[in-house]
Amino acid sequence: MEQSQTIGAGRANDQMLSGAGARVDKQLVARRFGRHAAEYDVYAEVQPLMAAGLTERVRRHHQGLAGRILDIGCGTGGLAASLWPHYPAAELTLLDLAPAMLRQAEQKLRRHGCPGSQLRAVAADAEAWAADQPEGGYDLIVSSAAFQWFNTPAATLRRLVQLLRPGGLLAFATFLPGTLRELHAAFRQADAEQGRAPRPRGQAYPSAAAWHGWARAAAGTFLLWEEASCRCEYASVPEMLAQVRRIGAGNALEAGASGMSPSLYRRMAQVYRERFGGPGGRIPATYAFVYALMRREKE
């Protein structure tokens, strides 16, 4: 696997777009992430890059102490472990759908020296959980590679800002359309060649414009918006697909999910190699995402 990264400023979009999100089956998401929790860190490649980038941006923009930090969709704890040394006195709330991921996160934080007395692990759907929490309880709310699983992102962003104390910071990184664009293009061509209408495979991500509009509506002070991309390389199409499945990013749609026949799979893989393959037969996979930071206005 090889990586390259490009970051540029995103365009502002003041239009209020639909609040519709991912339409995912949260129980299926939890099962798939839980199934691979023990090996997640071995196969996750883009996620550590995103977490490191978000940590650096939080450190650049967050001022003062953070007594209470909430990590939404904490996974195996990579983001929390990266942030905690900068806020060693903070109480950390780790929230994730999958209990197995939470156990990995707690173990990682303890290995990094975080006392168990400062950790609180919550197995829950962040969207439902946030609706029941008191306002103003956190100084810093962070999330990396998790918001794409929201079914009601506009409403959830508004609620998360309300959970911040005045002056608190919400910082997130989430995937955008363009993620796995090579795979989608190969499927479109293979479908067309076999006389099939294009069918959705994998998750459809809200656009950058949608996230920007939701974030602007949720908070008055928008500190940062940076769109980024990362290009990974793999030895083969099967290796890339296995990687995607192992990190829980397989199809979790409630509706519209579709499998594939052996002939369609073979043609898709051939198209992928022919159109995108590089020297030595290696194939790329592009991931697109955004870093966003906003502050709750002081009263």
Side-chain angles (χ1 to χ4, degrees):
M1 189 278 295
E2 297 177 359
Q3 297 178 351
S4 62
Q5 187 179 25
T6 57
I7 297 177
R11 294 180 299 172
N13 188 330
D14 291 329
Q15 181 183 5
M16 282 309 299
L17 303 173
S18 167
R23 296 185 302 111
V24 298
D25 180 338
K26 297 290 186 71
Q27 292 183 342
L28 180 57
V29 172
R31 287 198 301 270
R32 288 187 169 173
F33 276 108
R35 185 181 307 146
H36 298 289
E39 61 181 359
Y40 185 88
D41 286 349
V42 175
Y43 295 102
E45 298 170 316
V46 178
Q47 289 81 358
L49 183 149
M50 293 170 68
L54 190 62
T55 296
E56 188 274 329
R57 286 159 178 79
V58 169
R59 292 294 299 142
R60 190 193 312 161
H61 289 275
H62 186 267
Q63 300 173 353
L65 301 176
R68 299 190 69 207
I69 299 175
L70 168 63
D71 183 356
I72 294 177
C74 67
T76 59
L79 176 59
S82 177
L83 276 173
W84 181 78
H86 303 290
Y87 307 98
E91 174 191 306
L92 278 173
T93 298
L94 306 174
L95 189 147
D96 201 274
L97 277 169
M101 297 292 268
L102 281 171
R103 289 192 291 271
Q104 295 289 325
E106 288 184 280
Q107 293 170 11
K108 181 177 293 182
L109 266 295
R110 290 192 176 99
R111 288 197 302 270
H112 280 72
C114 182
S117 60
Q118 292 176 220
L119 287 176
R120 177 186 176 220
V122 179
D125 173 3
E127 295 188 279
W129 178 87
D132 294 331
Q133 302 308 301
E135 291 192 15
Y138 294 94
D139 303 287
L140 178 60
I141 299 177
V142 297
S143 179
S144 184
F147 278 18
Q148 67 271 6
W149 301 112
F150 285 173
N151 288 329
T152 56
T156 303
L157 277 178
R158 288 195 300 270
R159 184 57 186 163
L160 291 178
V161 170
Q162 293 170 352
L163 298 189
L164 292 167
R165 65 165 178 79
L169 185 71
L170 170 63
F172 68 90
T174 191
F175 288 110
L176 295 176
T179 293
L180 300 179
R181 62 177 179 80
E182 299 90 351
L183 179 63
H184 294 300
F187 264 125
R188 283 195 300 271
Q189 181 173 331
D191 276 330
E193 290 177 358
Q194 296 193 3
R196 301 169 183 260
R199 304 172 72 181
R201 293 182 177 86
Q203 187 176 347
Y205 301 113
S207 69
W211 279 113
H212 198 283
W214 297 331
R216 285 284 300 273
T221 306
F222 211 118
L223 300 179
L224 176 77
W225 178 270
E226 292 184 16
E227 294 174 32
S229 65
C230 175
R231 184 176 183 268
C232 303
E233 290 189 357
Y234 303 90
S236 66
V237 173
E239 179 188 277
M240 182 273 295
L241 291 175
Q243 191 94 348
V244 169
R245 284 191 288 268
R246 285 189 179 107
I247 60 172
N251 199 328
L253 299 177
E254 292 177 342
S258 59
M260 69 187 87
S261 67
S263 64
L264 178 64
Y265 175 84
R266 289 193 296 270
R267 182 54 184 152
M268 179 278 294
Q270 182 181 11
V271 170
Y272 204 127
R273 292 191 300 269
E274 291 173 350
R275 290 184 58 178
F276 304 109
R282 296 185 67 79
I283 60 104
T286 299
Y287 295 84
F289 49 95
V290 64
Y291 297 110
L293 274 68
M294 59 204 71
R295 193 183 307 281
R296 181 174 183 179
E297 293 182 335
K298 294 183 178 181
E299 297 175 353

